[in-house]
């Protein structure tokens, strides 16, 4: 299978998806959304695959939605975008019995951050940063950020990260329990592959463990993803979002008006 915006390979029970738009820090375009959905569908169907490994090419894991596609003239419906393009990815990662592992090689922002958090496990390079960047551009959290993050770090810390949008570095992410291990960038991919192959060799019960934890903690995930889409629709229509995107593209701080 050959794709335009991702690299996809299957080996030793592991399907590796590498987000591959390094010039834009692997920000999501519609093509990338479709290709990640397609690769995950293929990996999920393939009986030889037991683990999904997600990582990014270059210095970033993923900078979330490509904001060049979100100017007032072309932004469209953000609610529809989440329902069609992002939520199926989050649901596949969480609901498949196959184990998902993110190798967070650099910055993970917005939807990119929550893509990593939707995986069952994360390992990170010392360069990794986790940013709930939504508020910086006048948006609300999506891709499960309002649901999975509080369950990982607690409600108070989640609120702080979501409201302030400040970066969490790799050591802090380890302390918070967001990642299982931190290592030098040069070692990350080899270590992540080894862990993924170990997971792929594990017993059938690993999928059942995942289902048990999902049922205990994440049984309302789909409902919350839909609620996030409704809220993002409102945020996407705000003047503050237009200003947030404009400011990002002009490389300046936004001036929000609360409208
Ligand atoms: O819209 C919907 O469908 C709803 C879904 C929304 C989900 C979301 O993800 S909303 C949140 C979107 N993401 C962000 O707000 C993050 C934007 N990026 C950043 O804040 C910063 O780039 C980072 C903190 C991630 C990294 O900063 P830094 O200083 O290391 O790198 P940089 O210089 O800002 O970026 C390097 C290049 O990547 C730069 O391009 P250039 O100037 O070299 O041509 C920059 O424009 C580009 N880039 C980074 N992030 C994005 C991006 N281009 C488009 N979209 C991006 N998200």
């Amino acid at each position: 299978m050959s794709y335009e915006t991702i690299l996809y390979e299957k080996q030793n029970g592991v399907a590796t998806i590498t987000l591959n738009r390094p010039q834009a820090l692997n920000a999501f375009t519609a093509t990338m959304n479709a290709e990640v959905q397609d690769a995950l569908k293929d990996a999920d169907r393939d009986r030889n695959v037991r683990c999904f490994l997600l990582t990014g090419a270059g210095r970033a894991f993923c900078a979330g939605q490509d904001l060049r596609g979100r100017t007032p003239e072309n932004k469209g419906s953000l609610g529809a975008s989440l329902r069609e393009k992002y939520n199926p990815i989050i649901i596949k990662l969480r609901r498949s019995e196959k184990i998902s592992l993110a190798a967070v090689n650099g910055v993970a922002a917005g939807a990119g951050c929550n893509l990593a958090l939707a995986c069952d496990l994360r390992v990170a390079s010392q360069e990794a940063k986790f940013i709930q960047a939504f508020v910086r551009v006048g948006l609300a959290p999506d891709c499960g950020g309002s649901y999975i993050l509080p369950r990982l770090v607690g409600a108070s810390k989640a609120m702080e990260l979501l409201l302030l949008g400040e970066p969490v570095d790799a050591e802090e992410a380890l302390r918070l329990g967001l990642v299982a291990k931190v290592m030098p960038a040069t070692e990350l991919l080899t270590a992540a592959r080894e862990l993924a192959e170990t997971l792929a060799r594990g017993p059938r019960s690993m999928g059942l463990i995942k289902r048990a934890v999902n049922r205990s903690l994440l049984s309302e995930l789909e409902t919350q993803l839909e609620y996030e889409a409704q809220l993002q629709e409102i945020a996407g229509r705000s003047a503050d979002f237009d200003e947030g995107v404009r400011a990002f593209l002009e490389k300046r701080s936004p001036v929000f008006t609360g409208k």
Side-chain angles (χ1 to χ4, degrees):
M1 270 168 172
S2 155
Y3 293 115
E4 194 184 308
T5 63
I6 64 170
L7 305 173
Y8 180 56
E9 59 156 30
K10 295 186 279 188
Q11 206 181 358
N12 301 335
V14 178
T16 303
I17 298 174
T18 305
L19 306 177
N20 191 28
R21 299 185 66 234
Q23 72 288 357
L25 305 189
N26 303 319
F28 270 94
T29 57
T31 304
M32 188 188 275
N33 286 104
E35 292 185 348
V36 172
Q37 281 192 35
D38 193 69
L40 281 175
K41 205 179 286 175
D42 175 78
D44 199 31
R45 279 198 198 123
D46 187 333
R47 294 166 73 91
N48 295 319
V49 169
R50 306 261 328 275
C51 182
F52 309 141
L53 173 61
L54 267 65
T55 192
R59 72 175 173 95
F61 177 74
C62 174
Q65 169 63 38
D66 191 313
L67 292 171
R68 279 169 298 195
R70 290 295 177 267
T71 55
E73 315 77 58
N74 63 20
K75 64 184 174 182
S77 160
L78 269 55
S81 167
L82 289 172
R83 288 183 193 102
E84 289 159 23
K85 297 178 184 153
Y86 286 96
N87 292 354
I89 295 173
I90 303 302
I91 289 167
K92 181 63 84 186
L93 289 171
R94 285 314 302 201
R95 293 301 183 213
S96 169
E97 272 197 27
K98 300 179 185 196
I99 307 301
S100 49
L101 171 66
V104 184
N105 52 305
V107 67
C113 185
N114 291 336
L115 177 72
L117 299 188
C119 291
D120 299 310
L121 289 169
R122 284 149 294 286
V123 289
S125 91
Q126 287 163 342
E127 322 295 321
K129 270 192 262 173
F130 296 81
I131 313 178
Q132 291 292 336
F134 306 93
V135 69
R136 295 181 177 197
V137 288
L139 287 182
D142 57 34
C143 294
S146 66
Y147 195 63
I148 294 172
L149 182 66
R151 282 159 176 75
L152 290 173
V153 300
S156 174
K157 189 70 191 177
M159 197 63 103
E160 177 194 326
L161 298 178
L162 292 167
L163 288 175
L164 298 180
E166 287 172 353
V168 171
D169 67 21
E171 286 307 323
E172 176 73 350
L174 184 64
R175 202 185 60 74
L176 289 172
L178 284 177
V179 301
K181 281 184 191 157
V182 174
M183 60 203 80
T186 48
E187 294 169 20
L188 179 70
L189 213 51
T190 307
R193 284 220 171 94
E194 275 172 21
L195 177 57
E197 289 182 16
T198 302
L199 292 165
R201 287 193 301 269
R204 161 88 213 279
S205 67
M206 284 196 319
L208 304 178
I209 292 168
K210 174 170 176 173
R211 276 170 63 176
V213 173
N214 276 347
R215 188 175 161 113
S216 135
L217 281 180
L218 299 176
S219 61
E220 299 293 324
L221 176 63
E222 286 79 359
T223 309
Q224 186 69 11
L225 287 171
E226 170 52 30
Y227 191 56
E228 287 182 345
Q230 291 173 24
L231 298 180
Q232 204 68 295
E233 182 65 31
I234 298 169
R237 290 169 190 271
S238 70
D240 280 339
F241 175 55
D242 291 344
E243 164 62 6
V245 172
R246 220 169 17 243
F248 176 74
L249 296 176
E250 292 170 6
K251 299 185 187 290
R252 61 172 172 82
S253 297
V255 182
F256 293 131
T257 59
K259 293 184 189 123

